[in-house]
Amino acid sequence: MHDSEHNNLRQQFQTHRIENQPTALFDQNLWQSDLALQQATHHYAGDWADQQLNQMGAVTGIQQMTLGELANTHKPILHRFDRYGRRIDEVEFHPAYHQLMHNAAEHAVHNFSWQNQHQSGAHVIRSALMYINSQADAGTACPLTMTHAAVPCLAHSPELSAIWLPKILANGYDPRALPIAEKQSCTIGMGMTEKQGGSDVRRNSSRAYLQANGDYQIVGHKFFFSAPMCDAHLVLAQLDAGLSCFLMPRILPDGSLNAVHVQRLKNKLGDWSNASSEVEFQGATAYLIGEAGRGIATILEMVALTRLDCVIGSAAQMRQALVQVLDHVKQRAAFGKLLIDQPIMRNVLTDLSIESEAALLLGFRVAQAIDAAPHDATQAAFARIATAIAKFWVCKRTPAFINEAQECLGGIGYVEENILPRLYRQAPLNSIWEGSGNIQCLDVLRSLHKDRSTAAALFAELKLAQGRHPAYDQHLICLEQQFQMQDNFEKKARLLVERTALALQAAQLLLHGDPAMATMFCATRFGTDYGFSFGSFSDDQYNAHILTRAMPNL
């Protein structure tokens, strides 16, 4: 057979021709490509930090995305002892993890609010930084979040604050195991949960013992001890006065390792780049923060901010999943059309776009209230209840959202060569961490019962959007009636919180969002012509506008 005949046969029976496959998505600027993020940031905080957000968007889209994949592929490894048998309790991270932390800390993801606390909108801008960074990797968000949120707790101890706060406010990342005096910057973790109590931290059994020098030694354990390589952790332990809050350094002032023994790292569903651990305290040195017996009240100031980051992180995962989907469907054809031109697919894409922007606006509205809380009692009351409402709803919607995004890609959306399986594994975490859905609902009820001004602040916010859409107005009337019915309040808590969350999202869209997006949200979330699955509506008059708005400008 001649060579020409061989070539003809090879062409005739070619088995691997690549066609109708999208090109991979690289080199995004996650600030410049996100119109909704830009507009929300400008509305809630102004445009005074656009340059920093643009820099963060470029670093994340070009570098952090790749690093995030590497850090999640190569999980942390625990080394309890060195080769000579000395206890070291050291977690080894892939270099990509350290670079992720370095890039985020250089751009003030962990401290922007406090560096600019006298500037209007500082918490919103910091939320935007977190929103951008979390799209690349959620694991590093844990130490970044806890470091940021520790500042209000440290304020209860001026002596500790004088030592630790300058290192928190310093940009940069210093992973060295050194005493705080020798560190250029630091990270802070948290340890509340014990085996026997879970969310019921009043059942904690770890106990602190006062020493002659005024320090404490803690004996006990923590079943979840996040980011054990942080330079210090805020922990809860019992005193005679009750549960109290302590700062527990990893390395003591003399350079020795504190008696915090890491028993194992958690084998988690997701969040693979971050190390979560179980630890035992065998006389670990710690310093009291705040008043003895007031530990829960003290650490809840930290929890309020970490819960906001759960909302922001979940909204960020939604956005990155949506970006991946929109880039795919505009390149992939099926049944004679591009996927993005298929009517049923357009409904799904439109609904996902609406859900994503609604989550973003609600998170930023909470951040705006936290900004205003120190000098506005109404906003402080609104922040208390809205944080729990937003965490319940946005974090709970994220797994279903990302699963729908996977379906849009088909089988490719289920394989580990793209980001969607990682996002899907990560998605449930924020609904569990810092209090599950039931805890959020109970906190909402507790806020309502503790302070009557809370409900007034909530409905003052909701009534700002009254008269802008008939379905919203009707929903608000029903919601007010449900709040007034006190019987079986706890049994109805989930339904009440869900409906309140939808009202808050609608209000933000109606007041500050895109008009078409707001109209579609109200029609689908409050109307009768809508099902339980994404894309289950028939009115598509705004689809083209909404998809153009959501499409990443790459």
Side-chain angles (χ1 to χ4, degrees):
M1 186 178 289
H2 297 298
D3 288 344
S4 60
E5 292 175 310
H6 278 296
N7 291 334
N8 289 336
L9 279 173
R10 281 195 294 268
Q11 292 175 5
Q12 182 179 354
F13 296 108
Q14 187 175 0
T15 61
H16 199 66
R17 180 183 300 143
I18 306 300
E19 58 184 359
N20 193 31
Q21 286 285 8
T23 57
L25 180 58
F26 292 113
D27 293 356
Q28 317 162 53
N29 183 314
L30 299 188
W31 168 255
Q32 291 184 1
S33 64
D34 192 339
L35 179 61
L37 173 61
Q38 293 173 38
Q39 291 183 349
T41 304
H42 291 162
H43 171 76
Y44 291 111
D47 59 1
W48 54 274
D50 279 14
Q51 182 177 356
Q52 184 153 353
L53 289 165
N54 186 55
Q55 291 172 351
M56 187 75 239
V59 168
T60 304
I62 296 172
Q63 190 175 6
Q64 298 286 81
M65 297 295 292
T66 301
L67 292 169
E69 190 64 36
L70 283 170
N72 281 274
T73 300
H74 304 278
K75 298 181 183 180
I77 300 170
L78 172 62
H79 302 287
R80 294 189 188 88
F81 303 92
D82 69 8
R83 69 184 70 182
Y84 304 106
R86 297 184 183 92
R87 187 103 198 189
I88 57 174
D89 291 298
E90 182 178 301
V91 178
E92 177 188 348
F93 293 94
H94 188 271
Y97 172 90
H98 293 297
Q99 191 62 47
L100 281 164
M101 287 292 293
H102 171 79
N103 290 343
E106 283 290 325
H107 290 84
V109 175
H110 67 301
N111 60 19
F112 187 91
S113 301
W114 315 120
Q115 289 180 337
N116 300 275
Q117 59 183 314
H118 301 300
Q119 184 87 354
S120 176
H123 278 282
V124 177
I125 300 296
R126 189 260 163 191
S127 292
L129 290 167
M130 176 63 80
Y131 180 83
I132 292 170
N133 191 66
S134 296
Q135 293 183 54
D137 173 65
T140 49
C142 181
L144 293 167
T145 287
M146 293 187 296
T147 303
H148 170 258
V151 172
C153 290
L154 288 171
H156 289 277
S157 176
E159 291 183 5
L160 291 174
S161 186
I163 296 169
W164 291 85
L165 188 57
K167 306 301 172 78
I168 292 174
L169 294 180
N171 287 355
Y173 170 61
D174 184 353
R176 297 175 299 166
L178 294 172
I180 187 61
E182 300 176 38
K183 297 275 290 189
Q184 296 173 354
S185 60
C186 72
T187 53
I188 308 292
M190 180 197 300
M192 290 197 293
T193 307
E194 297 185 6
K195 296 183 183 73
Q196 72 284 349
S199 295
D200 187 5
V201 295
R202 293 187 186 279
R203 296 189 65 176
N204 281 11
S205 60
S206 294
R207 187 155 189 92
Y209 299 91
L210 181 63
Q211 304 301 297
N213 63 358
D215 300 341
Y216 289 82
Q217 286 190 354
I218 296 181
V219 177
H221 80 282
K222 295 297 172 186
F223 199 45
F224 283 91
F225 196 68
S226 299
M229 290 298 98
C230 285
D231 296 291
H233 284 74
L234 294 179
V235 301
L236 294 176
Q238 299 284 358
L239 289 172
D240 289 343
L243 202 59
S244 305
C245 183
F246 298 85
L247 179 76
M248 181 181 289
R250 180 168 182 264
I251 305 296
L252 297 175
D254 64 2
S256 62
L257 187 67
N258 204 357
V260 180
H261 293 176
V262 182
Q263 302 302 101
R264 64 170 175 164
L265 299 185
K266 297 290 192 181
N267 187 12
K268 298 170 292 184
L269 169 66
D271 200 53
W272 287 353
S273 66
N274 178 44
S276 303
S277 64
E278 296 177 24
V279 298
E280 288 186 355
F281 305 140
Q282 298 191 1
T285 297
Y287 313 110
L288 181 66
I289 297 179
E291 184 181 344
R294 295 280 297 164
I296 294 177
T298 301
I299 209 165
L300 279 180
E301 296 185 54
M302 183 178 188
V303 170
L305 293 175
T306 54
R307 285 178 175 176
L308 170 59
D309 275 4
C310 289
V311 179
I312 298 301
S314 291
Q317 292 168 39
M318 286 187 187
R319 174 59 187 174
Q320 186 51 221
L322 180 62
V323 166
Q324 297 291 328
V325 167
L326 291 175
D327 186 67
H328 178 90
V329 298
K330 71 181 182 182
Q331 301 181 66
R332 174 84 166 176
F335 310 112
K337 292 181 180 179
L338 288 172
L339 286 174
I340 197 170
D341 294 326
Q342 299 282 1
I344 193 168
M345 177 64 82
R346 288 176 70 81
N347 271 13
V348 172
L349 298 172
T350 298
D351 215 359
L352 292 176
S353 301
I354 293 169
E355 189 75 21
S356 174
E357 189 160 343
L360 170 67
L361 289 178
L362 180 54
F364 276 27
R365 177 62 187 93
V366 173
Q368 185 190 44
I370 290 173
D371 269 318
H375 49 80
D376 188 326
T378 299
Q379 290 302 299
F382 176 75
R384 282 194 297 274
I385 192 169
T387 300
I389 292 169
K391 184 185 182 303
F392 171 83
W393 184 241
V394 174
C395 298
K396 200 165 287 295
R397 291 287 280 175
T398 306
F401 182 105
I402 295 175
N403 176 241
E404 193 70 60
Q406 288 179 297
E407 277 197 49
C408 293
L409 270 67
I412 292 176
Y414 196 68
V415 298
E416 296 288 347
E417 292 168 330
N418 72 71
I419 195 175
L420 285 173
R422 171 154 62 94
L423 293 176
Y424 188 61
R425 289 194 307 272
Q426 189 74 36
L429 175 59
N430 283 332
S431 67
I432 298 171
W433 191 49
E434 299 295 29
S436 64
N438 286 348
I439 295 298
Q440 303 311 309
C441 291
L442 292 173
D443 280 354
V444 169
L445 298 185
R446 193 175 297 114
S447 295
L448 293 170
H449 292 153
K450 187 176 180 180
D451 186 352
R452 292 184 178 181
S453 67
T454 302
L458 174 64
F459 279 94
E461 178 74 17
L462 294 175
K463 288 182 179 180
L464 292 174
Q466 207 165 24
R468 294 175 181 253
H469 194 284
Y472 174 79
D473 292 348
Q474 185 59 44
H475 181 81
L476 188 55
I477 291 171
C478 294
L479 194 62
E480 284 190 287
Q481 293 172 347
Q482 290 169 336
F483 267 78
Q484 292 167 4
M485 297 170 62
Q486 299 293 323
D487 58 309
N488 295 321
F489 222 42
E490 185 172 326
K491 292 182 180 180
K492 297 182 294 186
R494 278 189 167 230
L495 181 60
L496 186 68
V497 173
E498 176 180 321
R499 289 176 175 174
T500 308
L502 290 172
L504 282 170
Q505 289 182 316
Q508 298 314 302
L509 284 164
L510 289 166
L511 290 166
H512 314 303
D514 178 79
M517 190 84 72
T519 298
M520 282 293 287
F521 185 94
C522 292
T524 54
R525 274 57 177 176
F526 305 138
T528 57
D529 189 21
Y530 184 71
F532 289 106
S533 60
F534 286 106
S536 57
F537 55 85
S538 57
D539 185 358
D540 63 354
Q541 63 174 316
Y542 295 116
N543 282 11
H545 172 82
I546 290 172
L547 291 178
T548 299
R549 175 179 176 80
M551 188 69 66
N553 180 23
L554 302 174

